[in-house]
Amino acid sequence: MLSRLTRPRALAVCAVPVVALLATAVFAPLPFSVAQPGLTADVLGEDRGTPVITISGAPTRETTGQLRMTTIEATSPDTRVSLPDVLDAWFGTDRAVMPRDSVYPSGNDLEEIERYNEDQMRRSQDEATLAALDYLDLDGKDVEVDLELADVGGPSAGLLFSLGIVDKLNGGDLTGGRTIAGTGTIDAGGRVGAVGGVPLKTQAARRDGATVFLVPEAECADAQAELPDGLRLIPVTTLETTVDALVALEEDAGGVPSC
């Protein structure tokens, strides 16, 4: 036999699953990572007492200024990110909510992710070396380049590695004494690719003293979204045009591209 509920009782009964659903949504883990500005490193200098770039088989030159690669720091794939975490980061300018798959595309196993990131870094270093030597018309059989940077994975330092190699082999003054930061992948042909997390990287760059930031052209709008005061954006598409832009900037000759 069915009994008829009064309206208040019916609303109360209906409210129970809604409250339970909201509670689940609030406390359940979500498929996101929360990221913030990470470390930067001068590829022309040292990392933990070891030169980031070591070259043999060709004469190198003393460099001035800094070329700082940039990173983001994200919550680990096994960290529980809940709705309050997402909302808190969403409204902060120094943090960002990113799909976990965009940060950790290889899955949730920590060892697997570390291997993946290390592999991406090695490939990036190889491509960066090839791009730089090709730009300088140097034979990779004669010139050996060793790149060392601890605790950093992924391919996004490729452009800065290439610039560092070019600077050490071809004059030593690409920066004009400035602290220049940037991000971007690079392939063996010298083409620069997008990376993600650019607004956080611009913050890391300015925090560590950069006044110029090299950004893949396709990510200009992202870089402008939270651009720190005192940081100039230069969009880049290839290693050659990046070097040209830095030379023009040093000589104050005009024609430096901007976002």
Side-chain angles (χ1 to χ4, degrees):
M1 179 176 179
L2 297 177
S3 61
R4 183 167 181 168
L5 295 176
T6 63
R7 180 178 177 80
R9 289 184 63 192
L11 289 174
V13 170
C14 291
V16 171
V18 173
V19 171
L21 182 61
L22 288 174
T24 300
V26 168
F27 297 107
L30 299 174
F32 297 107
S33 286
V34 177
Q36 63 185 15
L39 63 83
T40 73
D42 178 21
V43 300
L44 297 176
E46 296 183 346
D47 178 51
R48 301 183 183 183
T50 301
V52 176
I53 301 174
T54 302
I55 300 173
S56 57
T60 58
R61 296 170 173 83
E62 291 294 324
T63 58
T64 65
Q66 298 181 19
L67 286 170
R68 303 195 75 88
M69 54 79 65
T70 55
T71 68
I72 62 171
E73 294 178 0
T75 50
S76 64
D78 56 353
T79 298
R80 291 173 60 90
V81 176
S82 62
L83 183 59
D85 298 321
V86 170
L87 293 175
D88 186 45
W90 189 271
F91 293 103
T93 59
D94 60 344
R95 283 171 294 170
V97 179
M98 304 175 70
R100 185 179 295 150
D101 289 346
S102 71
V103 181
Y104 301 109
S106 60
N108 291 329
D109 181 83
L110 288 176
E111 291 186 2
E112 179 186 352
I113 290 168
E114 288 177 0
R115 287 194 300 270
Y116 175 83
N117 285 336
E118 289 171 0
D119 180 63
Q120 289 291 300
M121 173 60 89
R122 282 193 298 271
R123 292 188 181 192
S124 172
Q125 292 174 339
D126 290 343
E127 301 253 310
T129 300
L130 290 171
L133 296 182
D134 181 67
Y135 171 80
L136 296 170
D137 291 324
L138 294 174
D139 191 337
K141 295 179 181 179
D142 300 322
V143 181
E144 183 177 342
V145 178
D146 183 47
L147 301 173
E148 294 288 341
L149 193 57
D151 299 331
V152 176
S156 66
L159 171 62
L160 273 295
F161 282 138
S162 284
L163 289 172
I165 296 167
V166 169
D167 203 20
K168 284 180 173 289
L169 286 169
N170 195 42
D173 200 25
L174 268 185
T175 68
R178 299 176 177 85
T179 297
I180 293 175
T183 190
T185 64
I186 199 163
D187 65 18
R191 291 176 289 270
V192 176
V195 291
V198 169
L200 298 177
K201 291 179 179 180
T202 60
Q203 293 182 47
R206 191 69 187 104
R207 178 199 67 205
D208 291 352
T211 56
V212 175
F213 191 87
L214 306 172
V215 59
E217 186 177 60
E219 295 180 292
C220 265
D222 291 342
Q224 289 173 316
E226 300 288 347
L227 186 64
D229 291 338
L231 191 65
R232 177 177 183 174
L233 294 177
I234 297 181
V236 295
T237 56
T238 67
L239 176 59
E240 181 178 3
T241 57
T242 304
V243 173
D244 290 345
L246 291 178
V247 170
L249 182 67
E250 179 194 351
E251 296 176 350
D252 196 22
V256 180
S258 62
C259 289

